[in-house]
Amino acid sequence: MPLFTPIKTLLTASAVALLLSSPAAAEPDATAHVELRGTGDLGVVIERATGSVALVDTTEKTVLRHIEGFGDLSHASVKFTRDARHAFVFGRDGGLTRLDLLTGEIDGRIIQGGNSIGGAISQDGRFVAVGNYEPGGVKVFDVETMELVIDVPATYEKPDGTTDQAKVVGVVDVPGNIFVFSLFEAGEIWTLDMSTDEPELTKYRDVGSMPYDALITPNGRYYIAGLFGEDGMALLDLWHPENGVQRILPDYGRGEERLPVYKMPHLEGWAMAGDQAFFPAVGRNEVLVANTRDWSLTERIEVHGQPIFVMSRPDEQQVWVTFAHPLNDKVQVIDTRTLEVIETLSPGESILHKEFTPRGEHIWISARDSNQITVYDTRTFEVLATLPAESPSGIFFTHRAHRIGL
């Protein structure tokens, strides 16, 4: 299926104009056609082993093309520009790569650090922020030119008085052109306000031991960082930042033996359903349920293994859960009304990621070691399509462009 390109459109229009203006012109070829395409149906799938990306059509449930040249994608994430025309891919080699979804070509790539795992695009669409493991810190670039706007080192003071650079995790965008992120070794949360010509940095210290990832609630109010070094989470109310960071769910594992942690849970794809929040428990075969009115723990749901991604269907009636190695060949579905597991699926070997279509009628699930993506009907759990991909991992659809923190 051909992709729309502006150049091709101009050439076709010019050719038709010449034919019509020529006295001896024949009738234009009725088969000549350029398919115009919006980006609302599009998405990308990370192909981690080959450093490539699969461009997909979510309505037709097809792979349009495989695009190479993204570097090390062993851990990669994607953010979409405000107009959903471009996808920014963040790679483990420090690469920041811009993909044009309409032409299917890379139209910008820089190596901005030594090891980056994610980032965010500002509310107004002007800036893309990259969180770095090496050398640590956040760099903000102009979305159009990919030129560096500001470099924020994640420098913190150690207990012995010396300074060091911390790994940056959990970079999200919030309303007001603000980026929020966490410092792993430092146990801090910082906000970077890009709304004025002089960016303003605010630091919240002593938020807890080793924040490893973070999420933002869909309305942009609460930034919540998971703590690897202790049970519980750190919450920053961005509507009332003067209250500082508070601890929530501090006792969910107290007095219990924690299992070996095979893979760190991901919080960004968390689940909200009414006044309930669903979290993956660190080192436990449980999904935690909290009351979002006071962030108290209300329920633990026993699941197949250690949960990695806990994601809510857009209508919030279901939560889909994937798991860490060695039990990562299953996906379980929780009914949010009964808090019971209602389905266990086997989409392939080494399940890594999943993504709902914008209204939630379908879900796409990547199976790395099966080299495939499986598309399910979320109502009947019927398999609708099985698509080939090279060691697929992250799946990202363009509707994320219009959601806070995604």
Side-chain angles (χ1 to χ4, degrees):
M1 187 175 292
L3 294 173
F4 164 70
T5 63
I7 293 176
K8 196 170 186 178
T9 302
L10 288 173
L11 289 175
T12 304
S14 300
V16 171
L18 286 172
L19 286 169
L20 294 177
S21 63
S22 171
E27 288 294 320
D29 183 1
T31 64
H33 174 67
V34 176
E35 182 176 354
L36 301 180
R37 184 191 298 281
T39 59
D41 275 351
L42 300 182
V44 297
V45 178
I46 299 296
E47 298 178 305
R48 58 188 296 162
T50 53
S52 58
V53 162
L55 181 62
V56 299
D57 184 313
T58 62
T59 295
E60 298 298 329
K61 295 180 282 295
T62 57
V63 175
L64 299 175
R65 66 185 299 180
H66 300 269
I67 306 151
E68 298 181 344
F70 291 87
D72 183 354
L73 299 183
S74 57
H75 186 295
S77 62
V78 174
K79 300 293 179 182
F80 296 99
T81 54
R82 183 185 178 93
D83 60 0
R85 170 71 183 267
H86 292 89
F88 276 92
V89 180
F90 307 85
R92 263 290 165 95
D93 56 1
L96 177 64
T97 310
R98 187 174 61 199
L99 169 67
D100 188 323
L101 297 176
L102 292 183
T103 66
E105 302 289 343
I106 292 173
D107 70 356
R109 175 170 167 80
I110 57 174
I111 301 297
Q112 57 78 44
N115 186 341
S116 59
I117 64 162
I121 291 180
S122 60
Q123 183 181 36
D124 64 4
R126 294 172 55 204
F127 306 113
V128 54
V130 186
N132 286 310
Y133 270 14
E134 297 175 7
V138 169
K139 291 183 179 179
V140 180
F141 298 88
D142 184 289
V143 163
E144 295 293 332
T145 66
M146 295 187 70
E147 295 178 352
L148 182 66
V149 175
I150 185 171
D151 184 357
V152 183
T155 305
Y156 72 101
E157 185 174 336
K158 299 166 68 175
D160 62 6
T162 60
T163 60
D164 203 352
Q165 287 275 348
K167 298 181 183 69
V168 167
V169 298
V171 182
V172 301
D173 64 284
V174 299
N177 282 348
I178 297 171
F179 295 114
V180 189
F181 49 93
S182 297
L183 280 62
F184 180 75
E185 293 87 351
E188 300 181 5
I189 295 173
W190 294 5
T191 64
L192 178 62
D193 187 339
M194 297 293 297
S195 63
T196 64
D197 292 337
E198 294 294 332
E200 182 178 352
L201 188 65
T202 303
K203 303 178 182 180
Y204 300 88
R205 295 188 166 91
D206 301 320
V207 305
S209 178
M210 293 185 283
Y212 64 86
D213 195 12
L215 56 89
I216 190 78
T217 53
N219 61 1
R221 177 171 183 175
Y222 296 110
Y223 178 86
I224 303 173
L227 302 175
F228 182 66
E230 58 189 274
D231 292 317
M233 297 182 174
L235 179 145
L236 175 62
D237 184 345
L238 293 162
W239 291 7
H240 298 285
E242 67 278 3
N243 294 334
V245 174
Q246 69 179 92
R247 305 291 276 281
I248 61 173
L249 309 180
D251 301 321
Y252 75 79
R254 181 166 293 179
E256 300 179 8
E257 182 179 356
R258 179 180 292 185
L259 299 172
V261 178
Y262 298 108
K263 181 177 173 62
M264 294 303 296
H266 286 247
L267 296 180
E268 186 174 306
W270 77 318
M272 287 284 287
D275 58 0
Q276 298 181 113
F278 295 76
F279 298 96
V282 177
R284 293 176 177 81
N285 297 346
E286 296 175 341
V287 170
L288 308 178
V289 186
N291 186 323
T292 57
R293 290 192 295 267
D294 59 8
W295 298 102
S296 61
L297 182 65
T298 60
E299 191 71 42
R300 305 184 195 209
I301 303 171
E302 185 176 348
V303 289
H304 172 69
Q306 293 183 22
I308 296 298
F309 282 100
V310 177
M311 296 176 65
S312 176
R313 197 172 71 177
D315 66 0
E316 300 182 355
Q317 293 186 53
Q318 295 175 352
V319 166
W320 290 58
V321 187
T322 55
F323 304 99
H325 174 84
L327 301 176
N328 58 347
D329 62 340
K330 297 288 189 292
V331 175
Q332 289 192 312
V333 184
I334 297 171
D335 186 311
T336 60
R337 295 159 293 187
T338 64
L339 302 184
E340 295 178 350
V341 175
I342 59 172
E343 192 71 30
T344 299
L345 304 170
S346 301
E349 299 179 14
S350 296
I351 306 303
L352 291 188
H353 202 249
K354 56 191 180 295
E355 180 86 327
F356 290 99
T357 49
R359 298 194 181 190
E361 72 279 10
H362 302 155
I363 189 170
W364 292 43
I365 301 175
S366 62
R368 182 193 63 198
D369 293 350
S370 296
N371 293 308
Q372 68 183 30
I373 303 158
T374 305
V375 183
Y376 286 93
D377 183 307
T378 60
R379 182 178 59 87
T380 65
F381 307 116
E382 175 189 1
V383 174
L384 302 176
T386 302
L387 309 177
E390 294 289 335
S391 300
S393 56
I395 305 173
F396 306 89
F397 296 158
T398 53
H399 67 93
R400 288 171 170 256
H402 312 297
R403 296 177 61 190
I404 294 169
L406 293 180

